[in-house]
Amino acid sequence: MAHDPLDLTGIEDELHEDERLVRDSVSRFVDAEVLPDIGRHFADHHFPRELVLPLARLGLLGSSIEGYGCAGLNAVCYGLICQQLERGDSALRSFVSVQSSLCMYPIHAYGSEAQRERWLPAMARGEAIGCFGLTESHGGSDPLNMSTTARQRGSDWVLNGSKMWITNAPIADVAVVWALTDEGVRGFLVERGMKGFSTQEIERKMSLRASATGALFFDDVVLPEENLLPGSSVGLKAPLSCLTQARFGIAWGVLGAAQACLSEALHYTRERILFGRPLAATQAVQIRLAEMARKIAVGQSLALQLAHRKDRGILTPVQVSLAKWNNCRAAIEVAREARDLLGGAGITTEHAAIRHALNLESVITYEGTETIHQLSVGRELTGLNAF
Ligand code: TGC
Ligand code: FAD
């Protein structure tokens, strides 16, 4: 066969040798350490914490940061890392997105030197786990409408409120929390063990079951001034800048889930004999497989274009919105098609398609729902804010 069905436009040829090396090492890790057990973890609603140190040893935590024990890789490498991890399971990519883009990134970009020295090397080694608390129960799409407050008392801050739907919350050592001060939204580092700070796991999820999701509660938590992120401006600009990093990784990551589903569907429909011929030999099935490959190919080109712009420092938030929207939609459609092409076999975790399809229900919602990204693009086109 002339082309790799998972890479019809030849993205492989555009990658540099060092990018391929990173991709291949993560790919081997996913094959050896993730795929054998991930169906069981999903079924058991269990985050495989034992994978954190191996992920760290591969240099995958905070991989884009220079210094502080981090690998300092480029945007293409970060994208490829996300893609390979999500080929395994969206939960693993979520863990790395939150640790790297939503916790280490703001500590690096907006933290004091003391905060960087304290947290970044430990987080890169996987010895400290982070979470990012922006969403509250009364409406994640509109984060400015938050109830969590931080009031100044002498040189301290007193935090009250709660955050909902927080990835890594049950296992986090440190939470980057966005709270309303008298001046507007500011970022704080809240540490496990601080009096009045507690977390609770959200159970019975039907999606991202191998990820630890939870709530954060703050009941008169006293934070010293050194736990304020001093470099973050007042308002949503700083948290939105973190989301841009993570959404970029998601735009790459979801295509890994889609590739796993297309691969599974290709294998299954070639082997499955119905009406005296392989299922893959029917026109209807080939059209569906071709559609799946088309969606992946278009998404890959978009992701690579964005990575090159990111490395040149010219990527804009609306371009990231476009890609997060397009690639999540493409991936969830590919996963649902694969699930259907597997027939009854497609409903068990013996195969990957339903696990990916269910996971992608979260991924299309978090980090800005599809509608939020469509409205961001709409605002760019019209100049009119329709949120
Ligand atoms: P908007 O007017 O768009 O922006 C306010 C100010 O921020 C600036 N800005 C950015 N700056 C840097 N980087 C970015 N990416 C930026 N995006 C915007 C913007 O220029 C402006 O600055 P200035 O100087 O003009 O004031 O803000 P808005 O209030 O209109 O935003 C509306 C909206 C809906 C787009 C925003 O609220 C939004 O994105 N809502 C969705 C919330 C969301 O995505 N939450 C995600 C929570 S975290 C999560 O889901 C993690 S899942 C992790 C996992 O497990 O992988
Ligand atoms: P809502 O904002 O209530 O939206 C409900 C519906 O209304 C959606 O369909 C939305 O598109 C639509 N809608 C909203 N506004 C408009 C409008 N103006 N016009 C038309 N339709 C509109 N958050 C964090 O802070 N940190 C995390 O680590 C984190 N991890 C998560 C992990 C999981 C598994 C999940 C499911 C969520 C996570 N989130 C996290 C929260 C996530 O970001 C929010 O769920 C998301 O932003 C949507 O908010 P919401 O659930 O409150 O839905």
Side-chain angles (χ1 to χ4, degrees):
M1 199 178 290
H3 293 102
D4 176 352
L6 306 183
D7 179 23
L8 285 182
T9 59
I11 295 289
E12 178 71 17
D13 300 330
E14 306 301 319
L15 301 179
H16 296 297
E17 191 52 33
D18 51 341
E19 294 163 351
R20 284 196 202 125
L21 282 173
V22 169
R23 191 264 323 269
D24 291 346
S25 73
V26 186
S27 172
R28 281 192 298 274
F29 170 77
V30 168
D31 286 342
E33 308 295 337
V34 178
L35 291 178
D37 288 328
I38 194 65
R40 182 171 54 80
H41 294 305
F42 181 94
D44 293 349
H45 208 307
H46 169 252
F47 171 67
R49 194 174 178 151
E50 63 278 11
L51 295 180
V52 171
L53 291 180
L55 284 169
R57 280 194 288 271
L58 281 174
L60 307 188
L61 306 182
S63 61
S64 308
I65 293 174
E66 300 267 1
Y68 304 96
C70 301
L73 300 174
N74 70 7
V76 177
C77 287
Y78 181 56
L80 290 165
I81 289 167
C82 289
Q83 193 159 93
Q84 285 307 312
L85 292 176
E86 199 145 0
R87 182 171 67 79
D89 195 273
S90 301
L92 224 49
R93 197 269 310 136
S94 280
F95 172 80
V96 169
S97 287
V98 169
Q99 180 86 347
S100 302
S101 290
L102 296 184
C103 291
M104 296 175 76
Y105 172 81
I107 293 172
H108 187 250
Y110 306 118
S112 65
E113 195 50 39
Q115 289 168 344
R116 291 188 196 127
E117 293 288 355
R118 169 154 184 218
W119 290 109
L120 295 179
M123 293 180 87
R125 289 194 299 269
E127 290 162 7
I129 292 175
C131 69
F132 176 91
L134 179 65
T135 304
E136 300 188 0
S137 55
H138 48 272
S141 298
D142 181 14
L144 206 51
N145 178 31
M146 65 172 64
S147 306
T148 298
T149 56
R151 302 271 178 243
Q152 244 171 332
R153 194 173 66 193
S155 62
D156 294 333
W157 293 86
V158 182
L159 197 63
N160 277 291
S162 63
K163 298 286 174 181
M164 185 65 177
W165 295 114
I166 307 303
T167 300
N168 294 351
I171 55 172
D173 301 291
V174 59
V176 174
V177 175
W178 303 94
L180 205 54
T181 70
D182 290 340
E183 299 170 297
V185 174
R186 302 290 313 260
F188 297 87
L189 299 180
V190 183
E191 300 167 34
R192 186 169 295 279
M194 284 181 152
K195 191 163 177 289
F197 174 43
S198 58
T199 63
Q200 188 176 23
E201 180 143 16
I202 296 171
E203 290 167 355
R204 303 191 192 181
K205 286 180 300 170
M206 298 307 290
S207 172
L208 281 185
R209 288 174 60 86
S211 173
T213 317
L216 309 174
F217 299 102
F218 317 105
D219 181 10
D220 281 332
V221 180
V222 178
L223 299 170
E225 178 71 15
E226 57 258 31
N227 282 41
L228 170 75
L229 287 175
S232 69
S233 55
V234 175
L236 280 187
K237 217 178 166 90
L240 290 179
S241 75
C242 305
L243 296 183
T244 297
Q245 311 302 315
R247 289 166 176 171
F248 165 80
I250 290 172
W252 276 85
V254 289
L255 298 175
Q259 286 173 323
C261 291
L262 174 56
S263 182
E264 187 165 68
L266 281 169
H267 178 77
Y268 190 87
T269 56
R270 278 198 210 105
E271 300 288 314
R272 187 90 172 152
I273 306 294
L274 292 173
F275 303 102
R277 60 182 172 173
L279 200 49
T282 64
Q283 287 188 353
V285 169
Q286 284 197 13
I287 291 170
R288 292 171 72 182
L289 294 168
E291 272 286 311
M292 293 158 81
R294 175 183 66 79
K295 287 173 183 167
I296 292 170
V298 170
Q300 288 280 55
S301 298
L302 185 55
L304 189 64
Q305 160 73 354
L306 257 59
H308 289 154
R309 291 183 69 82
K310 192 169 196 307
D311 280 332
R312 289 162 61 203
I314 55 170
L315 183 63
T316 65
V318 77
Q319 290 169 338
V320 176
S321 279
L322 184 71
K324 199 270 181 182
W325 158 26
N326 184 76
N327 290 6
C328 286
R329 172 54 56 188
I332 202 167
E333 286 176 1
V334 168
R336 287 172 180 163
E337 277 293 86
R339 209 293 311 145
D340 183 68
L341 285 168
L342 267 66
I347 71 157
T348 79
T349 56
E350 291 295 304
H351 297 278
I354 193 150
R355 179 167 52 77
H356 284 301
L358 290 170
N359 284 340
L360 289 164
E361 294 288 345
S362 284
V363 182
I364 204 168
T365 288
Y366 69 33
E367 294 276 3
T369 65
E370 184 172 63
T371 305
I372 289 301
H373 292 295
Q374 289 167 328
L375 294 177
S376 290
V377 174
R379 182 169 64 178
E380 184 69 18
L381 297 180
T382 62
L384 302 170
N385 190 345
F387 289 110

